[in-house]
Amino acid sequence: MPSKPTHFLLPAVTGALFIALWHGLHLWLSEDLRFLLPTPGAVLGALRDNAAPLVRATLNTTEGALLGFGLAIAVSSLLALGLSLSALVRVSLYPYLMVLQMTPVIVVAPILVLWVGPGLKSVAVITFLICFFPLVVNTTQGLISTDRNLVELFAMWRASRLQQLFLLRVPAALPYFFTGLRIAATLAPIGALVGDYTAGSSAGDGGGLGFQTIIYSSQAQYPALFATAAVTCALGFVFVAVVLGLSWLALHRWHDSYERHDT
Amino acid sequence: MAPPPIVELRDVSKRFSAGPLVLDRLSFAAQPGEFLSLIGPSGCGKSTLLRLIAGLSPLSGGSLRVAGRTPDDAAADLAFVFQEPTLLPWITAGRNVELALQLRGIPAAERRATRRQVLDLVRLGDRADAYPRQLSGGQKMRVSLARALALIPKILLLDEPFGALDEMTREHLNEELLAIRAQQAWTAFFVTHSVAEAVFLSDRIVVLAPHPGRVHSVVPIDLPQPRTEETRLSRAYHGLVTDVSRLLRSVEHAAA
């Protein structure tokens, strides 16, 4: 592990180099092509000029992402509990979970709009569809990977099924659950944006980042498009940071994925 | 007249579904407070036998009485120690020791007292708040032992509990186990690969032959009690280790 100052300094240097390279690339392009790659400064300017619509769009997208993400966590946890109970149930349902994952959201979106209506509901459902699979797969894997000796000990101790579930299987599954949660957290804002792009545009509340993307691209506002991408990226970072924080809270004392502090 | 045996096996057989016979008509008995070791070449079914006594697996034939009952009904009198520490990593050593008591509905104050007592027995009184990963291999095994002792079992079943530890740690733990035995009166069934360990600990050693597992011989170990480091230096101890090793080798040759 590098020491703390290097830990922050190195990415900062990489970032600065990247921005310099980006700016250089812009200057290297001929005048008539420079619109394809606006300068970092121009993107910052677009961020400032479009602050109001971008903030509103970000809040709308965040709402949809949170709803879909939360729904995915709840439903996937319950389904994983069901799946963990029997290998037969797993074998019966697994192919269809794969189907759910393989079906492109872009194709399903128009149908969803017809079913649940445009706007927030569609955005949430699409986010749900994108986040669901990694969550259910990881949580199920965690719930069925409990140490067999521990299961036998609980049996010898005459633990009830509920005691076995909540004192043994669920805590043992937490590291797997958080792995799924980390993947899903990176997908949630993207899912909400895609949902908004395909199904959220006619919402009365002015739409989210997907809707802004449609507007900026139709008006050829390329710096603003870059700004929208940056905002979406930042939103993703926030989601991941929160999940990493929760994961740390739940696991750092005992799990090997965190550094050990001897007492 | 001898007291009734605490564990009695009569013609105990075991096969897994349609597989070959793993244990073939085993008969022997353990007296209350006795320390029995089970040794034999791999494939002799010694771990399977321990699991039968623990009620973790049903018999295929014969009868097995534990404290006058079936293994299943005697669960409260049994404690099992696995080869791995098998602790819950997300709770502290102390909470691990308390867990089984908690499941039995024993009140918190009483749990706390028992926990302190058994952690002191295994000389880990000051590590109750450590998580398993903060402990060494030997310390984790001690917590695992303390957890079993906390149940105040009549019968302690140990499946190669010190097999993964280094020689020094293992010898220390053997001495500690005997010291604890002087304070808690349980009957022990101890599965091991180490003849030296079996001789040091046991009142009797049951030598099993493989394919299918059956009792080859029962060797009484009449070394004086208490057994200490000195015991390991005695001529009688070395004589017994040599004899049992020879016996074991002849069983292995016969099987090969």
Side-chain angles (χ1 to χ4, degrees), chain A residues 147-150 152-159 163 167-168 171-172 251-263, chain B residues 51 54 56 71-73 75 78-80 82 84 86-90 99-100 102-103 127 130-131 133-134 147 151 157:
Chain A
D147 184 337
R148 275 198 40 183
N149 285 343
L150 282 173
E152 291 195 327
L153 267 186
F154 270 63
M156 284 186 70
W157 294 339
R158 295 288 183 267
Q163 284 173 326
L167 294 173
L168 179 58
L251 305 179
H252 80 278
R253 274 190 224 91
W254 62 274
H255 198 252
D256 288 335
S257 58
Y258 291 91
E259 222 175 316
R260 190 172 113 166
H261 297 287
D262 283 301
T263 48
Chain B
R51 295 169 56 79
L56 288 171
D72 216 32
D73 291 335
L78 293 162
F80 201 103
F82 292 95
E84 296 84 31
T86 321
L87 303 172
L88 305 188
W90 53 87
L99 186 63
Q102 189 186 337
L103 293 176
R127 301 293 279 159
Y131 284 86
R133 70 166 179 172
Q134 296 169 313
R147 175 178 63 188
L151 296 167
L157 305 169

Short mmCIF file of all heavy atoms in Angstrom, two decimals, chain A residues 147-150 152-159 163 167-168 171-172 251-263, chain B residues 51 54 56 71-73 75 78-80 82 84 86-90 99-100 102-103 127 130-131 133-134 147 151 157:
data_model
loop_
_atom_site.label_atom_id
_atom_site.label_comp_id
_atom_site.label_asym_id
_atom_site.label_seq_id
_atom_site.Cartn_x
_atom_site.Cartn_y
_atom_site.Cartn_z
N ASP A 147 -20.39 -21.77 5.46
CA ASP A 147 -19.51 -22.84 5.92
C ASP A 147 -20.35 -24.02 6.43
O ASP A 147 -21.16 -23.87 7.33
CB ASP A 147 -18.63 -22.28 7.06
CG ASP A 147 -17.61 -23.29 7.55
OD1 ASP A 147 -17.81 -24.51 7.37
OD2 ASP A 147 -16.60 -22.84 8.13
N ARG A 148 -20.14 -25.21 5.85
CA ARG A 148 -20.96 -26.37 6.19
C ARG A 148 -20.79 -26.76 7.65
O ARG A 148 -21.74 -27.21 8.29
CB ARG A 148 -20.59 -27.55 5.29
CG ARG A 148 -21.33 -27.52 3.97
CD ARG A 148 -21.28 -28.88 3.34
NE ARG A 148 -21.47 -29.92 4.36
CZ ARG A 148 -21.43 -31.22 4.11
NH1 ARG A 148 -21.19 -31.63 2.91
NH2 ARG A 148 -21.62 -32.09 5.08
N ASN A 149 -19.58 -26.63 8.17
CA ASN A 149 -19.36 -26.97 9.58
C ASN A 149 -20.19 -26.08 10.48
O ASN A 149 -20.73 -26.53 11.50
CB ASN A 149 -17.88 -26.84 9.94
CG ASN A 149 -17.05 -27.99 9.38
OD1 ASN A 149 -17.59 -29.02 8.99
ND2 ASN A 149 -15.75 -27.79 9.32
N LEU A 150 -20.29 -24.78 10.11
CA LEU A 150 -21.10 -23.87 10.93
C LEU A 150 -22.57 -24.27 10.87
O LEU A 150 -23.27 -24.23 11.89
CB LEU A 150 -20.90 -22.43 10.45
CG LEU A 150 -19.61 -21.75 10.91
CD1 LEU A 150 -19.45 -20.40 10.25
CD2 LEU A 150 -19.60 -21.60 12.42
N GLU A 152 -23.69 -27.24 10.50
CA GLU A 152 -23.85 -28.43 11.35
C GLU A 152 -23.82 -28.06 12.83
O GLU A 152 -24.57 -28.64 13.62
CB GLU A 152 -22.75 -29.44 11.03
CG GLU A 152 -22.93 -30.03 9.64
CD GLU A 152 -22.10 -31.27 9.42
OE1 GLU A 152 -21.00 -31.34 10.00
OE2 GLU A 152 -22.55 -32.15 8.67
N LEU A 153 -22.96 -27.10 13.19
CA LEU A 153 -22.94 -26.66 14.59
C LEU A 153 -24.30 -26.11 14.99
O LEU A 153 -24.84 -26.45 16.05
CB LEU A 153 -21.89 -25.56 14.78
CG LEU A 153 -20.50 -25.97 15.23
CD1 LEU A 153 -19.67 -24.73 15.50
CD2 LEU A 153 -20.57 -26.83 16.48
N PHE A 154 -24.87 -25.26 14.11
CA PHE A 154 -26.19 -24.69 14.42
C PHE A 154 -27.23 -25.80 14.55
O PHE A 154 -28.12 -25.72 15.38
CB PHE A 154 -26.59 -23.67 13.35
CG PHE A 154 -26.15 -22.27 13.68
CD1 PHE A 154 -24.80 -21.96 13.77
CD2 PHE A 154 -27.08 -21.27 13.92
CE1 PHE A 154 -24.38 -20.68 14.10
CE2 PHE A 154 -26.67 -19.98 14.24
CZ PHE A 154 -25.33 -19.69 14.32
N ALA A 155 -27.09 -26.85 13.72
CA ALA A 155 -28.02 -27.98 13.81
C ALA A 155 -27.85 -28.68 15.16
O ALA A 155 -28.83 -29.01 15.82
CB ALA A 155 -27.78 -28.94 12.66
N MET A 156 -26.58 -28.89 15.57
CA MET A 156 -26.34 -29.56 16.86
C MET A 156 -26.86 -28.71 18.01
O MET A 156 -27.26 -29.24 19.04
CB MET A 156 -24.84 -29.81 17.06
CG MET A 156 -24.32 -30.96 16.24
SD MET A 156 -22.59 -31.30 16.65
CE MET A 156 -22.76 -31.97 18.29
N TRP A 157 -26.82 -27.40 17.84
CA TRP A 157 -27.31 -26.51 18.89
C TRP A 157 -28.82 -26.34 18.84
O TRP A 157 -29.39 -25.54 19.57
CB TRP A 157 -26.65 -25.11 18.76
CG TRP A 157 -25.19 -25.12 19.01
CD1 TRP A 157 -24.47 -26.05 19.68
CD2 TRP A 157 -24.24 -24.14 18.56
NE1 TRP A 157 -23.15 -25.70 19.68
CE2 TRP A 157 -22.98 -24.54 19.02
CE3 TRP A 157 -24.36 -22.95 17.84
CZ2 TRP A 157 -21.82 -23.80 18.76
CZ3 TRP A 157 -23.21 -22.21 17.57
CH2 TRP A 157 -21.95 -22.64 18.04
N ARG A 158 -29.45 -27.07 17.92
CA ARG A 158 -30.91 -27.01 17.79
C ARG A 158 -31.40 -25.59 17.49
O ARG A 158 -32.43 -25.15 18.04
CB ARG A 158 -31.59 -27.52 19.06
CG ARG A 158 -31.34 -28.99 19.36
CD ARG A 158 -32.12 -29.85 18.38
NE ARG A 158 -31.96 -31.27 18.66
CZ ARG A 158 -31.03 -32.05 18.10
NH1 ARG A 158 -30.18 -31.55 17.23
NH2 ARG A 158 -30.98 -33.34 18.38
N ALA A 159 -30.68 -24.87 16.66
CA ALA A 159 -31.12 -23.53 16.27
C ALA A 159 -32.34 -23.65 15.36
O ALA A 159 -32.41 -24.58 14.56
CB ALA A 159 -30.00 -22.80 15.55
N GLN A 163 -33.30 -18.56 13.35
CA GLN A 163 -32.02 -18.27 14.00
C GLN A 163 -30.87 -18.56 13.05
O GLN A 163 -29.92 -17.79 12.94
CB GLN A 163 -31.88 -19.11 15.28
CG GLN A 163 -32.71 -18.60 16.43
CD GLN A 163 -32.66 -19.54 17.62
OE1 GLN A 163 -32.58 -20.76 17.47
NE2 GLN A 163 -32.72 -18.99 18.81
N LEU A 167 -28.75 -15.35 12.23
CA LEU A 167 -27.48 -15.33 12.96
C LEU A 167 -26.34 -15.91 12.15
O LEU A 167 -25.17 -15.69 12.46
CB LEU A 167 -27.61 -16.09 14.29
CG LEU A 167 -28.56 -15.48 15.30
CD1 LEU A 167 -28.74 -16.39 16.50
CD2 LEU A 167 -28.04 -14.12 15.75
N LEU A 168 -26.67 -16.69 11.11
CA LEU A 168 -25.60 -17.35 10.36
C LEU A 168 -25.61 -17.00 8.86
O LEU A 168 -24.66 -16.41 8.36
CB LEU A 168 -25.71 -18.88 10.55
CG LEU A 168 -24.67 -19.71 9.81
CD1 LEU A 168 -23.27 -19.33 10.21
CD2 LEU A 168 -24.91 -21.20 10.08
N PRO A 171 -25.54 -12.89 7.86
CA PRO A 171 -24.23 -12.23 8.05
C PRO A 171 -23.14 -12.82 7.15
O PRO A 171 -22.30 -12.08 6.63
CB PRO A 171 -23.90 -12.50 9.53
CG PRO A 171 -25.13 -12.97 10.17
CD PRO A 171 -26.08 -13.43 9.13
N ALA A 172 -23.18 -14.14 6.94
CA ALA A 172 -22.16 -14.77 6.09
C ALA A 172 -22.29 -14.29 4.65
O ALA A 172 -21.31 -14.27 3.90
CB ALA A 172 -22.27 -16.29 6.16
N LEU A 251 -18.39 -4.34 7.35
CA LEU A 251 -17.40 -5.41 7.22
C LEU A 251 -16.03 -5.16 7.81
O LEU A 251 -15.28 -6.10 8.04
CB LEU A 251 -17.21 -5.77 5.72
CG LEU A 251 -18.45 -6.13 4.92
CD1 LEU A 251 -18.05 -6.41 3.47
CD2 LEU A 251 -19.14 -7.34 5.50
N HIS A 252 -15.65 -3.88 8.02
CA HIS A 252 -14.22 -3.64 8.25
C HIS A 252 -13.68 -4.31 9.51
O HIS A 252 -12.50 -4.60 9.61
CB HIS A 252 -13.93 -2.14 8.27
CG HIS A 252 -14.27 -1.47 9.58
ND1 HIS A 252 -15.55 -1.07 9.87
CD2 HIS A 252 -13.52 -1.15 10.64
CE1 HIS A 252 -15.55 -0.54 11.08
NE2 HIS A 252 -14.34 -0.57 11.57
N ARG A 253 -14.57 -4.56 10.49
CA ARG A 253 -14.08 -5.14 11.73
C ARG A 253 -13.68 -6.60 11.59
O ARG A 253 -12.82 -7.07 12.30
CB ARG A 253 -15.14 -5.02 12.82
CG ARG A 253 -15.09 -3.70 13.55
CD ARG A 253 -15.99 -3.71 14.78
NE ARG A 253 -16.73 -2.48 14.85
CZ ARG A 253 -17.92 -2.31 14.30
NH1 ARG A 253 -18.52 -3.28 13.66
NH2 ARG A 253 -18.54 -1.15 14.40
N TRP A 254 -14.32 -7.28 10.65
CA TRP A 254 -14.09 -8.73 10.64
C TRP A 254 -13.70 -9.29 9.29
O TRP A 254 -13.12 -10.37 9.22
CB TRP A 254 -15.33 -9.46 11.15
CG TRP A 254 -16.56 -9.26 10.31
CD1 TRP A 254 -17.46 -8.24 10.41
CD2 TRP A 254 -17.04 -10.10 9.26
NE1 TRP A 254 -18.46 -8.40 9.49
CE2 TRP A 254 -18.23 -9.53 8.77
CE3 TRP A 254 -16.58 -11.30 8.68
CZ2 TRP A 254 -18.96 -10.11 7.74
CZ3 TRP A 254 -17.31 -11.86 7.65
CH2 TRP A 254 -18.49 -11.26 7.19
N HIS A 255 -13.98 -8.60 8.20
CA HIS A 255 -13.77 -9.26 6.90
C HIS A 255 -12.36 -9.04 6.37
O HIS A 255 -11.80 -7.97 6.54
CB HIS A 255 -14.81 -8.78 5.88
CG HIS A 255 -14.92 -9.71 4.72
ND1 HIS A 255 -14.45 -9.40 3.48
CD2 HIS A 255 -15.40 -10.97 4.64
CE1 HIS A 255 -14.65 -10.43 2.68
NE2 HIS A 255 -15.24 -11.39 3.36
N ASP A 256 -11.83 -10.07 5.70
CA ASP A 256 -10.45 -10.03 5.23
C ASP A 256 -10.22 -9.01 4.12
O ASP A 256 -9.08 -8.69 3.81
CB ASP A 256 -10.02 -11.41 4.74
CG ASP A 256 -9.84 -12.37 5.90
OD1 ASP A 256 -9.59 -11.88 7.01
OD2 ASP A 256 -9.96 -13.59 5.70
N SER A 257 -11.29 -8.50 3.50
CA SER A 257 -11.09 -7.53 2.43
C SER A 257 -10.66 -6.17 3.00
O SER A 257 -10.29 -5.29 2.24
CB SER A 257 -12.38 -7.38 1.61
OG SER A 257 -13.45 -7.00 2.44
N TYR A 258 -10.74 -6.03 4.31
CA TYR A 258 -10.29 -4.78 4.93
C TYR A 258 -9.02 -5.02 5.72
O TYR A 258 -8.84 -6.11 6.27
CB TYR A 258 -11.37 -4.18 5.82
CG TYR A 258 -12.53 -3.68 5.02
CD1 TYR A 258 -13.61 -4.51 4.75
CD2 TYR A 258 -12.53 -2.41 4.47
CE1 TYR A 258 -14.67 -4.08 3.97
CE2 TYR A 258 -13.58 -1.96 3.69
CZ TYR A 258 -14.65 -2.80 3.45
OH TYR A 258 -15.67 -2.37 2.67
N GLU A 259 -8.20 -4.00 5.76
CA GLU A 259 -6.93 -4.12 6.47
C GLU A 259 -7.17 -4.49 7.93
O GLU A 259 -8.12 -4.04 8.55
CB GLU A 259 -6.19 -2.78 6.40
CG GLU A 259 -4.72 -2.93 6.14
CD GLU A 259 -4.10 -1.55 5.97
OE1 GLU A 259 -4.69 -0.70 5.29
OE2 GLU A 259 -3.03 -1.34 6.54
N ARG A 260 -6.26 -5.30 8.42
CA ARG A 260 -6.42 -5.81 9.78
C ARG A 260 -5.70 -4.90 10.75
O ARG A 260 -4.58 -4.49 10.50
CB ARG A 260 -5.80 -7.19 9.79
CG ARG A 260 -6.03 -7.99 10.98
CD ARG A 260 -5.49 -9.37 10.69
NE ARG A 260 -4.35 -9.58 11.54
CZ ARG A 260 -3.81 -10.78 11.72
NH1 ARG A 260 -4.27 -11.80 11.05
NH2 ARG A 260 -2.79 -10.92 12.52
N HIS A 261 -6.38 -4.53 11.83
CA HIS A 261 -5.72 -3.72 12.87
C HIS A 261 -5.61 -4.56 14.13
O HIS A 261 -6.60 -4.80 14.80
CB HIS A 261 -6.50 -2.44 13.14
CG HIS A 261 -6.57 -1.56 11.93
ND1 HIS A 261 -5.49 -0.85 11.48
CD2 HIS A 261 -7.57 -1.32 11.06
CE1 HIS A 261 -5.83 -0.19 10.39
NE2 HIS A 261 -7.09 -0.46 10.11
N ASP A 262 -4.42 -5.01 14.43
CA ASP A 262 -4.25 -5.86 15.59
C ASP A 262 -4.43 -5.06 16.87
O ASP A 262 -4.02 -3.92 16.96
CB ASP A 262 -2.88 -6.51 15.57
CG ASP A 262 -2.84 -7.66 14.59
OD1 ASP A 262 -3.64 -8.59 14.77
OD2 ASP A 262 -2.06 -7.60 13.63
N THR A 263 -5.05 -5.71 17.84
CA THR A 263 -5.26 -5.02 19.12
C THR A 263 -4.13 -5.36 20.06
O THR A 263 -3.46 -6.35 19.89
CB THR A 263 -6.58 -5.46 19.76
OG1 THR A 263 -6.65 -6.88 19.74
CG2 THR A 263 -7.76 -4.90 19.04
N ARG B 51 -19.16 -38.37 13.75
CA ARG B 51 -20.38 -37.70 13.29
C ARG B 51 -21.63 -38.51 13.65
O ARG B 51 -22.69 -37.93 13.90
CB ARG B 51 -20.31 -37.44 11.79
CG ARG B 51 -19.19 -36.44 11.42
CD ARG B 51 -18.96 -36.39 9.92
NE ARG B 51 -20.20 -36.06 9.24
CZ ARG B 51 -20.69 -34.83 9.15
NH1 ARG B 51 -19.99 -33.83 9.66
NH2 ARG B 51 -21.82 -34.59 8.55
N ALA B 54 -22.29 -37.78 17.20
CA ALA B 54 -22.79 -36.41 17.33
C ALA B 54 -24.24 -36.28 16.85
O ALA B 54 -24.86 -35.24 17.03
CB ALA B 54 -21.90 -35.46 16.55
N LEU B 56 -25.02 -36.19 13.75
CA LEU B 56 -25.01 -35.42 12.51
C LEU B 56 -25.33 -36.29 11.31
O LEU B 56 -25.58 -35.79 10.21
CB LEU B 56 -23.62 -34.77 12.30
CG LEU B 56 -23.28 -33.61 13.23
CD1 LEU B 56 -21.82 -33.19 13.07
CD2 LEU B 56 -24.20 -32.42 12.96
N PRO B 71 -28.40 -40.57 19.86
CA PRO B 71 -27.56 -39.38 19.69
C PRO B 71 -28.40 -38.12 19.46
O PRO B 71 -28.08 -37.04 19.96
CB PRO B 71 -26.72 -39.72 18.46
CG PRO B 71 -26.67 -41.20 18.42
CD PRO B 71 -27.98 -41.67 18.97
N ASP B 72 -29.49 -38.28 18.73
CA ASP B 72 -30.34 -37.14 18.42
C ASP B 72 -30.95 -36.53 19.68
O ASP B 72 -31.01 -35.31 19.84
CB ASP B 72 -31.45 -37.60 17.46
CG ASP B 72 -31.78 -36.52 16.45
OD1 ASP B 72 -30.86 -35.76 16.09
OD2 ASP B 72 -32.95 -36.44 16.05
N ASP B 73 -31.39 -37.40 20.60
CA ASP B 73 -32.00 -36.92 21.84
C ASP B 73 -30.96 -36.41 22.83
O ASP B 73 -31.29 -35.69 23.77
CB ASP B 73 -32.81 -38.04 22.50
CG ASP B 73 -34.04 -38.38 21.69
OD1 ASP B 73 -34.51 -37.48 20.95
OD2 ASP B 73 -34.52 -39.52 21.77
N ALA B 75 -28.44 -34.46 22.14
CA ALA B 75 -27.72 -33.31 21.59
C ALA B 75 -27.25 -32.33 22.66
O ALA B 75 -26.16 -31.77 22.57
CB ALA B 75 -28.60 -32.59 20.57
N LEU B 78 -23.87 -33.08 24.21
CA LEU B 78 -22.72 -33.23 23.31
C LEU B 78 -22.14 -31.89 22.92
O LEU B 78 -22.87 -30.91 22.75
CB LEU B 78 -23.16 -33.93 22.03
CG LEU B 78 -23.59 -35.40 22.15
CD1 LEU B 78 -24.40 -35.79 20.92
CD2 LEU B 78 -22.38 -36.29 22.31
N ALA B 79 -20.83 -31.84 22.76
CA ALA B 79 -20.20 -30.68 22.12
C ALA B 79 -19.17 -31.19 21.12
O ALA B 79 -18.52 -32.21 21.36
CB ALA B 79 -19.55 -29.78 23.16
N PHE B 80 -19.06 -30.48 20.00
CA PHE B 80 -18.23 -30.94 18.89
C PHE B 80 -17.17 -29.89 18.61
O PHE B 80 -17.46 -28.70 18.55
CB PHE B 80 -19.12 -31.13 17.66
CG PHE B 80 -18.54 -32.05 16.62
CD1 PHE B 80 -19.00 -33.35 16.49
CD2 PHE B 80 -17.54 -31.62 15.75
CE1 PHE B 80 -18.48 -34.21 15.53
CE2 PHE B 80 -17.02 -32.47 14.79
CZ PHE B 80 -17.48 -33.77 14.68
N PHE B 82 -14.38 -29.04 15.68
CA PHE B 82 -13.92 -29.40 14.34
C PHE B 82 -12.42 -29.20 14.19
O PHE B 82 -11.78 -28.55 15.01
CB PHE B 82 -14.62 -28.55 13.28
CG PHE B 82 -16.09 -28.82 13.15
CD1 PHE B 82 -17.01 -28.04 13.84
CD2 PHE B 82 -16.55 -29.83 12.33
CE1 PHE B 82 -18.37 -28.27 13.71
CE2 PHE B 82 -17.91 -30.07 12.20
CZ PHE B 82 -18.82 -29.29 12.89
N GLU B 84 -11.06 -27.31 11.91
CA GLU B 84 -10.91 -25.85 11.78
C GLU B 84 -11.61 -25.20 12.96
O GLU B 84 -12.55 -25.76 13.52
CB GLU B 84 -11.53 -25.35 10.47
CG GLU B 84 -10.87 -25.87 9.22
CD GLU B 84 -11.39 -27.24 8.82
OE1 GLU B 84 -12.58 -27.52 9.10
OE2 GLU B 84 -10.60 -28.03 8.28
N THR B 86 -13.79 -22.91 13.03
CA THR B 86 -15.21 -22.81 12.74
C THR B 86 -15.90 -21.77 13.62
O THR B 86 -16.92 -22.03 14.24
CB THR B 86 -15.91 -24.17 12.91
OG1 THR B 86 -15.05 -25.19 12.40
CG2 THR B 86 -17.20 -24.23 12.13
N LEU B 87 -15.29 -20.58 13.70
CA LEU B 87 -15.90 -19.49 14.45
C LEU B 87 -16.67 -18.59 13.48
O LEU B 87 -16.39 -18.57 12.29
CB LEU B 87 -14.81 -18.66 15.13
CG LEU B 87 -13.88 -19.43 16.08
CD1 LEU B 87 -12.74 -18.53 16.54
CD2 LEU B 87 -14.65 -19.97 17.26
N LEU B 88 -17.65 -17.86 14.01
CA LEU B 88 -18.30 -16.84 13.19
C LEU B 88 -17.36 -15.64 13.15
O LEU B 88 -17.06 -15.07 14.19
CB LEU B 88 -19.65 -16.41 13.79
CG LEU B 88 -20.67 -17.51 14.07
CD1 LEU B 88 -22.01 -16.88 14.48
CD2 LEU B 88 -20.90 -18.39 12.88
N PRO B 89 -16.88 -15.26 11.96
CA PRO B 89 -15.86 -14.20 11.90
C PRO B 89 -16.42 -12.81 12.22
O PRO B 89 -15.64 -11.91 12.53
CB PRO B 89 -15.35 -14.26 10.45
CG PRO B 89 -16.43 -14.93 9.68
CD PRO B 89 -17.14 -15.85 10.63
N TRP B 90 -17.74 -12.64 12.15
CA TRP B 90 -18.30 -11.30 12.32
C TRP B 90 -18.65 -10.97 13.76
O TRP B 90 -19.17 -9.89 14.03
CB TRP B 90 -19.53 -11.09 11.42
CG TRP B 90 -20.58 -12.15 11.58
CD1 TRP B 90 -21.58 -12.19 12.47
CD2 TRP B 90 -20.69 -13.34 10.79
NE1 TRP B 90 -22.32 -13.33 12.33
CE2 TRP B 90 -21.81 -14.05 11.28
CE3 TRP B 90 -19.98 -13.88 9.71
CZ2 TRP B 90 -22.21 -15.27 10.76
CZ3 TRP B 90 -20.39 -15.09 9.19
CH2 TRP B 90 -21.49 -15.76 9.70
N LEU B 99 -22.58 -17.83 21.93
CA LEU B 99 -23.65 -18.02 20.95
C LEU B 99 -24.56 -19.22 21.24
O LEU B 99 -25.79 -19.09 21.25
CB LEU B 99 -23.03 -18.14 19.55
CG LEU B 99 -24.01 -18.20 18.41
CD1 LEU B 99 -24.82 -16.90 18.33
CD2 LEU B 99 -23.28 -18.44 17.09
N ALA B 100 -23.92 -20.38 21.50
CA ALA B 100 -24.74 -21.58 21.71
C ALA B 100 -25.61 -21.42 22.95
O ALA B 100 -26.75 -21.89 22.98
CB ALA B 100 -23.85 -22.80 21.84
N GLN B 102 -26.78 -18.60 24.05
CA GLN B 102 -27.83 -17.67 23.65
C GLN B 102 -28.96 -18.44 22.95
O GLN B 102 -30.13 -18.21 23.22
CB GLN B 102 -27.21 -16.64 22.71
CG GLN B 102 -28.09 -15.47 22.36
CD GLN B 102 -27.41 -14.60 21.31
OE1 GLN B 102 -26.19 -14.61 21.16
NE2 GLN B 102 -28.20 -13.86 20.56
N LEU B 103 -28.58 -19.36 22.06
CA LEU B 103 -29.59 -20.14 21.34
C LEU B 103 -30.39 -21.02 22.31
O LEU B 103 -31.54 -21.35 22.06
CB LEU B 103 -28.93 -21.02 20.28
CG LEU B 103 -28.29 -20.28 19.10
CD1 LEU B 103 -27.58 -21.25 18.17
CD2 LEU B 103 -29.34 -19.49 18.33
N ARG B 127 -8.85 -11.78 25.79
CA ARG B 127 -9.07 -11.63 24.34
C ARG B 127 -10.54 -11.74 23.96
O ARG B 127 -10.86 -11.90 22.77
CB ARG B 127 -8.26 -12.68 23.57
CG ARG B 127 -6.77 -12.62 23.81
CD ARG B 127 -6.16 -11.35 23.25
NE ARG B 127 -5.92 -11.46 21.82
CZ ARG B 127 -5.77 -10.42 21.00
NH1 ARG B 127 -5.88 -9.21 21.48
NH2 ARG B 127 -5.54 -10.59 19.74
N ALA B 130 -11.70 -9.59 21.03
CA ALA B 130 -10.99 -9.67 19.74
C ALA B 130 -11.86 -10.41 18.72
O ALA B 130 -12.60 -11.33 19.08
CB ALA B 130 -9.67 -10.38 19.92
N TYR B 131 -11.79 -9.97 17.47
CA TYR B 131 -12.45 -10.71 16.39
C TYR B 131 -11.55 -11.88 16.00
O TYR B 131 -10.32 -11.79 16.14
CB TYR B 131 -12.72 -9.79 15.20
CG TYR B 131 -13.88 -8.87 15.45
CD1 TYR B 131 -13.69 -7.65 16.09
CD2 TYR B 131 -15.16 -9.23 15.07
CE1 TYR B 131 -14.76 -6.81 16.36
CE2 TYR B 131 -16.24 -8.39 15.33
CZ TYR B 131 -16.03 -7.18 15.97
OH TYR B 131 -17.10 -6.37 16.22
N ARG B 133 -10.23 -12.91 13.38
CA ARG B 133 -9.07 -12.70 12.50
C ARG B 133 -7.91 -11.99 13.22
O ARG B 133 -6.81 -11.93 12.69
CB ARG B 133 -9.47 -11.91 11.27
CG ARG B 133 -9.81 -10.47 11.56
CD ARG B 133 -9.85 -9.73 10.25
NE ARG B 133 -10.20 -8.34 10.44
CZ ARG B 133 -10.15 -7.45 9.48
NH1 ARG B 133 -9.78 -7.79 8.29
NH2 ARG B 133 -10.48 -6.21 9.72
N GLN B 134 -8.18 -11.47 14.41
CA GLN B 134 -7.11 -10.85 15.18
C GLN B 134 -6.36 -11.88 16.03
O GLN B 134 -5.42 -11.54 16.72
CB GLN B 134 -7.69 -9.76 16.10
CG GLN B 134 -8.31 -8.60 15.33
CD GLN B 134 -9.10 -7.67 16.22
OE1 GLN B 134 -9.90 -8.12 17.04
NE2 GLN B 134 -8.87 -6.39 16.09
N ARG B 147 -15.75 -22.57 23.40
CA ARG B 147 -17.15 -22.58 23.01
C ARG B 147 -17.80 -23.93 23.32
O ARG B 147 -18.94 -23.98 23.78
CB ARG B 147 -17.26 -22.27 21.51
CG ARG B 147 -18.65 -22.37 20.97
CD ARG B 147 -18.71 -22.02 19.51
NE ARG B 147 -17.92 -22.94 18.70
CZ ARG B 147 -17.68 -22.76 17.41
NH1 ARG B 147 -18.16 -21.70 16.79
NH2 ARG B 147 -16.96 -23.63 16.73
N LEU B 151 -20.74 -25.24 26.95
CA LEU B 151 -21.99 -26.00 26.97
C LEU B 151 -22.02 -26.99 28.13
O LEU B 151 -23.02 -27.66 28.35
CB LEU B 151 -22.16 -26.76 25.66
CG LEU B 151 -22.30 -25.89 24.41
CD1 LEU B 151 -22.13 -26.71 23.15
CD2 LEU B 151 -23.66 -25.21 24.42
N LEU B 157 -16.65 -34.26 21.66
CA LEU B 157 -16.21 -34.94 20.44
C LEU B 157 -15.22 -34.03 19.72
O LEU B 157 -15.55 -32.88 19.40
CB LEU B 157 -17.41 -35.24 19.54
CG LEU B 157 -18.54 -36.02 20.22
CD1 LEU B 157 -19.79 -36.03 19.35
CD2 LEU B 157 -18.07 -37.44 20.51
#
